Amino acid sequence: MKVRVLISFKDSVLDPQGQTVKNALHSLGYNFVKDVRQGKVFELELEGISEEEAKKIIPEISDKVLANPIIEKFTWEILQ
Amino acid sequence: MKVRVLISFKDSVLDPQGQTVKNALHSLGYNFVKDVRQGKVFELELEGISEEEAKKIIPEISDKVLANPIIEKFTWEILQ
């Protein structure tokens, strides 16, 4: 089973990397880019657990290991 | 218009961060995790261009600015 976890800063947290990318895009003439937020993505390959178990364990893993819940939020989906 | 660009290492490129996360998960008892690949995600807010233009420009931006095409690949989708 393949799972994708997307992690991004909470909306209230400044994202200097995203700002830098936005500025770089503007300096190249891409002025239609109004905002950029950067985050992380993890693609996990799981074996030997059911989808039901995965639905319980993925948020647990995301919260404990992949994300920093103080400043980050996460979403996840099962890809296949 | 909101666009998400996902960037990950090409399959042939080693991903030491992903390996480290996998090892951390194993040490916590999550042995059903067979592989982890880590990547980046950019969420762009675009204004003043059509969906047609976006479909041409997003791959261009991804290739020129967001990803390093020598070692990384990207996928993208329009969110709204």
Side-chain angles (χ1 to χ4, degrees):
Chain A
M1 189 186 335
K2 203 163 189 173
V3 173
R4 176 182 290 156
V5 181
L6 291 171
I7 294 170
S8 58
F9 287 123
K10 290 180 179 174
D11 293 338
S12 58
V13 176
L14 288 174
D15 177 5
Q17 285 190 312
Q19 285 298 305
T20 303
V21 171
K22 187 182 83 170
N23 294 341
L25 290 170
H26 283 189
S27 73
L28 292 168
Y30 299 113
N31 293 309
F32 51 82
V33 179
K34 292 304 160 199
D35 196 29
V36 178
R37 301 283 288 178
Q38 186 173 348
K40 289 179 288 189
V41 55
F42 290 94
E43 288 190 357
L44 310 179
E45 183 68 44
L46 309 183
E47 252 179 46
I49 63 168
S50 68
E51 198 167 315
E52 279 311 302
E53 291 172 303
K55 284 179 182 171
K56 279 176 62 179
I57 278 175
I58 295 161
E60 187 183 308
I61 286 178
S62 302
D63 204 58
K64 273 169 68 174
V65 182
L66 305 181
N68 174 351
I70 295 174
I71 55 168
E72 293 173 328
K73 59 185 179 172
F74 63 87
T75 59
W76 60 273
E77 59 185 320
I78 294 176
L79 297 181
Q80 66 196 18
Chain B
M1 188 186 334
K2 203 160 189 176
V3 174
R4 176 182 290 155
V5 181
L6 290 171
I7 294 171
S8 58
F9 286 125
K10 289 180 180 174
D11 293 338
S12 57
V13 176
L14 288 175
D15 177 3
Q17 285 189 311
Q19 285 299 305
T20 303
V21 171
K22 188 181 83 172
N23 294 341
L25 289 170
H26 284 188
S27 73
L28 292 168
Y30 299 113
N31 293 308
F32 51 82
V33 179
K34 291 304 161 198
D35 195 28
V36 178
R37 302 283 287 177
Q38 185 174 350
K40 288 179 289 189
V41 55
F42 291 94
E43 288 190 357
L44 310 178
E45 183 68 44
L46 309 183
E47 252 178 48
I49 63 167
S50 69
E51 197 165 317
E52 278 313 300
E53 291 171 305
K55 285 180 181 172
K56 279 175 65 178
I57 278 175
I58 294 161
E60 188 182 309
I61 286 178
S62 302
D63 204 57
K64 273 168 70 175
V65 183
L66 306 181
N68 174 352
I70 296 174
I71 55 169
E72 292 173 328
K73 58 183 178 174
F74 64 87
T75 59
W76 59 274
E77 59 185 319
I78 293 176
L79 297 182
Q80 65 196 23

